[in-house]
Amino acid sequence: MKKPRVLIVEDESAIAELIAVNLRHNGFDPVWAEDGAGAQRELDAVLPDVVLLDWMLPGQNGLTLARKWRSDARTKAVPILMLTARGDEPDKISGLDAGADDYITKPFSTQELMARIRAVLRRRAPEQAGEAVSIGDLNLDPVTHRVSWQGAPLKLGPTEFKLLNFLMRHPERVHSRAQLLDKVWGDHVFIEERTVDVHVKRLREALGIAGALVETVRGVGYRLTSEPHLQHLAVRET
Ligand code: CA
């Protein structure tokens, strides 16, 4: 099987090298570009399976590059994982708005980085409506309207079912409350964002132990993950 190609766009060679070593060790094929121009040359030559994009770059920054690649027919479907040293909510949201699939805040553990890369690769499979979906031991079947955890059936309300269906079909990705309202509830301008929190709480209660898969991303929103409670540490921006 061909090794997944990962384009690392990072101006700090020490960080890029550390990431590349870990990627190679985990069965990936890393390619390094130190700025937007170099990355563009790589993208024009061979489309990678994932782009790891540093936010702070000389010349065009990561945000500008993400927007550019998202609007280009050739690169718009390539998953982008943003690397950022910033922890501010508006920055995270603008990263996601610019078209990044996910972001990782430095410092991050290489373990977490590998998990996130595997996650974006997994969800490249096209979404097929009507098909059952599984995340770990959690299963959801939209046809029979059944949810189970390790084979045991779970009872969910209709809104919680729709919410879980959406989260399971877009796992490992952070969704803001506004995005969830839009995707799960539809165009209901009079529903407050707090409503999302209420239904997430109900969903977690209904899921029992599996409720841990629904993570709160502070200041941003929610994410369904198959690998909760990852440890942080290791890579620091200098
Ligand atoms: Ca940088």
Side-chain angles (χ1 to χ4, degrees), residues 10-12 54 56-57 106 237:
E10 166 66 78
D11 57 311
E12 285 156 86
D54 189 31
M56 299 294 283
L57 289 166
K106 296 174 185 175
E237 176 151 83

Side-chain angles (χ1 to χ4, degrees), residues 133-219:
V133 58
S134 300
I135 302 289
D137 292 332
L138 187 63
N139 289 279
L140 179 146
D141 187 338
V143 177
T144 59
H145 233 258
R146 284 193 176 124
V147 177
S148 65
W149 168 252
Q150 296 181 337
L154 299 171
K155 204 167 154 51
L156 267 65
T159 304
E160 286 71 53
F161 185 90
K162 280 172 69 179
L163 180 59
L164 182 63
N165 189 31
F166 177 78
L167 290 172
M168 287 182 75
R169 287 176 198 283
H170 304 84
E172 311 297 342
R173 173 170 191 152
V174 187
H175 306 281
S176 71
R177 289 166 180 81
Q179 285 168 339
L180 288 172
L181 276 180
D182 185 41
K183 303 286 187 191
V184 178
W185 277 261
D187 193 16
H188 288 72
V189 288
F190 299 115
I191 295 181
E192 290 178 35
E193 294 195 356
R194 215 176 57 80
T195 304
V196 176
D197 301 334
V198 172
H199 287 282
V200 167
K201 185 167 178 285
R202 284 186 196 157
L203 174 60
R204 284 197 182 118
E205 285 165 1
L207 291 178
I209 293 169
L213 303 187
V214 182
E215 290 187 337
T216 301
V217 181
R218 278 182 65 193

Side-chain angles (χ1 to χ4, degrees), residues 3-230:
K3 289 179 180 177
R5 189 182 181 88
V6 182
L7 173 59
I8 307 163
V9 190
E10 166 66 78
D11 57 311
E12 285 156 86
S13 57
I15 292 181
E17 185 54 37
L18 181 59
I19 293 173
V21 165
N22 277 281
L23 284 170
R24 249 178 246 120
H25 185 71
N26 282 273
F28 295 97
D29 175 22
V31 186
W32 175 39
E34 57 185 345
D35 59 15
Q40 189 63 56
R41 281 194 296 276
E42 287 295 338
L43 288 167
D44 291 342
V46 183
L47 268 191
D49 296 289
V50 185
V51 178
L52 294 185
L53 179 59
D54 189 31
W55 181 300
M56 299 294 283
L57 289 166
Q60 290 185 302
N61 68 21
L63 204 61
T64 309
L65 292 168
R67 271 203 200 96
K68 187 170 90 173
W69 294 335
R70 274 293 170 263
S71 61
D72 184 331
R74 177 173 162 80
T75 49
K76 74 176 182 190
V78 176
I80 297 173
L81 213 76
M82 207 104 183
L83 306 177
T84 171
R86 306 170 173 211
D88 294 337
E89 174 186 358
D91 289 338
K92 288 175 180 174
I93 291 171
S94 42
L96 295 172
D97 283 348
D101 293 85
D102 201 354
Y103 62 84
I104 296 191
T105 307
K106 296 174 185 175
F108 53 81
S109 74
T110 49
Q111 187 194 8
E112 176 175 14
L113 180 62
M114 297 307 137
R116 295 243 182 279
I117 292 172
R118 285 193 292 271
V120 292
L121 287 172
R122 270 200 302 273
R123 68 172 179 254
R124 290 190 84 197
E127 178 180 331
Q128 285 166 318
E131 289 205 352
V133 58
S134 300
I135 302 289
D137 292 332
L138 187 63
N139 289 279
L140 179 146
D141 187 338
V143 177
T144 59
H145 233 258
R146 284 193 176 124
V147 177
S148 65
W149 168 252
Q150 296 181 337
L154 299 171
K155 204 167 154 51
L156 267 65
T159 304
E160 286 71 53
F161 185 90
K162 280 172 69 179
L163 180 59
L164 182 63
N165 189 31
F166 177 78
L167 290 172
M168 287 182 75
R169 287 176 198 283
H170 304 84
E172 311 297 342
R173 173 170 191 152
V174 187
H175 306 281
S176 71
R177 289 166 180 81
Q179 285 168 339
L180 288 172
L181 276 180
D182 185 41
K183 303 286 187 191
V184 178
W185 277 261
D187 193 16
H188 288 72
V189 288
F190 299 115
I191 295 181
E192 290 178 35
E193 294 195 356
R194 215 176 57 80
T195 304
V196 176
D197 301 334
V198 172
H199 287 282
V200 167
K201 185 167 178 285
R202 284 186 196 157
L203 174 60
R204 284 197 182 118
E205 285 165 1
L207 291 178
I209 293 169
L213 303 187
V214 182
E215 290 187 337
T216 301
V217 181
R218 278 182 65 193
V220 185
Y222 296 101
R223 157 167 64 209
L224 189 113
T225 178
S226 59
E227 305 181 52
H229 311 312
L230 283 161

